[in-house]
Amino acid sequence: MDPVRKRRTTRSDSAVTWWASLNARRSTPAPPSRPLAASLALAAVTAAAAMPLVWHHLLLPNPRFYGPPTLEVFNGVGADSWLIVVAVIAAGLAVRMYRQAPSSGFKVALTLLAAATVNGMFIDYFDWSRRGVSPDTPAFYGPGYFVGLGCAVLLVLAVVIGWRARE
């Protein structure tokens, strides 16, 4: 029996060439992404700046069992010290992006960092909206909370810039 020979068309040749080209790498590396490095550095500075600011107030009963309740003030270190880790990671990623172009693994890591930060801010909001709140005293969100929220927004912006940067 004679094996069936398939004719290759121009279209199939171009598809095979395209498929093989997906694995090929550029000979010249992409330049570092300066806007990505700047947004990451700004996010790290914003997270660090939020730490000494007031985040929340909490009304506690008086420890002597009589008298008015005491007001406890929480700053970023006392309320949300996890943002320090975010600041350190963002600063490290900013230094890396200043030196070299973002890789696919970097983009995934940056996406996970931004998602964790946004998730942490949501958890902080819901946690403090129910802690020590009564009909007379609403939840208090100080300037530190909103500066930390700005850090989360900057990280989401960095993710958008990072995924648009070429490798």
Side-chain angles (χ1 to χ4, degrees):
M1 278 209 160
D2 189 16
V4 178
R5 294 185 182 189
K6 294 185 179 178
R7 289 187 306 163
R8 298 198 103 167
T9 63
T10 307
R11 185 173 177 164
S12 66
D13 284 340
S14 64
V16 170
T17 306
W18 170 79
W19 186 259
S21 72
L22 290 178
N23 223 3
R25 293 278 182 199
R26 289 187 190 97
S27 60
T28 59
S33 177
R34 302 291 188 221
L36 179 59
S39 63
L40 284 170
L42 191 58
V45 167
T46 304
M51 289 295 108
L53 298 175
V54 175
W55 279 61
H56 303 290
H57 289 173
L58 185 62
L59 281 175
L60 300 173
N62 198 324
R64 289 173 278 180
F65 301 111
Y66 67 92
T70 59
L71 180 69
E72 191 169 350
V73 178
F74 291 95
N75 62 2
V77 178
D80 291 302
S81 59
W82 57 270
L83 206 57
I84 296 171
V85 176
V86 171
V88 170
I89 292 172
L93 293 177
V95 169
R96 184 179 184 274
M97 282 304 96
Y98 190 76
R99 293 183 180 169
Q100 55 184 283
S103 63
S104 297
F106 170 81
K107 292 175 184 180
V108 170
L110 182 60
T111 303
L112 291 175
L113 177 67
T117 306
V118 169
N119 193 22
M121 293 306 290
F122 276 123
I123 289 171
D124 181 70
Y125 175 78
F126 291 129
D127 181 33
W128 282 93
S129 67
R130 295 291 167 208
R131 186 183 298 193
V133 177
S134 69
D136 300 332
T137 58
F140 175 79
Y141 298 99
Y145 175 79
F146 294 106
V147 173
L149 199 60
C151 169
V153 169
L154 285 170
L155 284 175
V156 170
L157 176 70
V159 167
V160 171
I161 293 171
W163 278 103
R164 289 180 171 227
R166 62 178 208 154
E167 293 182 14

